[in-house]
Amino acid sequence: MNIRPSAAIRQNYNEIADMCRKTAEPIFLTKNGEGDLVVMDIETYNRREKMLKLREELLAVEEDRIHGSKGYSVSEVASMMRDAIKEATGHGTTE
C-alpha cells in the first residue's frame, strides 16, 4: 500500500502519475494524517470497474439460479452459440 501526504500530488504530480502507471496500484493520499483521497491511473480504474461489473453480473446470475431460474447445459449453450454465429454470418435461416 502506497501512502503519501496530499501535498505530494501538488509537488510531484508526474512522479505520482508514473508510480500509479508502473505499479497499477492506487496511491492513498492523506490530509492532516487522515485518509483523504485515492489516486490511480485510468487504465487501472477501467480494469477495476469492468471487474466489479462482471462480479455484479455473476452475482445476479447466481442469485437467479438459487431462486430456481432455469439454467442451460454446456451442450445447449454451445448449440445456441453455433446458431447465433450462423445467423450473424448469414449462414443460418432467419425465417
Side-chain angles (χ1 to χ4, degrees):
M1 183 182 302
N2 203 333
I3 302 171
R4 304 278 187 201
S6 60
I9 195 88
R10 288 188 299 268
Q11 298 165 354
N12 303 312
Y13 177 86
N14 290 333
E15 179 185 329
I16 299 276
D18 288 342
M19 191 179 313
C20 286
R21 287 186 202 96
K22 287 178 186 174
T23 64
E25 292 290 327
I27 295 179
F28 299 86
L29 300 176
T30 62
K31 185 174 182 179
N32 300 324
E34 298 288 325
D36 188 40
L37 298 172
V38 177
V39 178
M40 67 178 66
D41 69 289
I42 195 73
E43 202 171 298
T44 300
Y45 172 79
N46 287 333
R47 188 172 42 252
R48 286 179 183 234
E49 287 297 306
K50 287 177 185 177
M51 186 173 17
L52 286 172
K53 183 176 182 190
L54 177 60
R55 286 180 180 176
E56 288 175 7
E57 291 171 359
L58 290 172
L59 180 59
V61 168
E62 182 63 10
E63 287 174 349
D64 288 346
R65 186 192 65 79
I66 288 170
H67 292 99
S69 182
K70 180 187 180 299
Y72 298 96
S73 70
V74 172
S75 60
E76 289 173 318
V77 171
S79 177
M80 287 187 285
M81 290 176 68
R82 280 191 297 274
D83 292 345
I85 290 169
K86 284 180 186 176
E87 187 175 322
T89 60
H91 293 44
T93 58
T94 57
E95 297 173 21

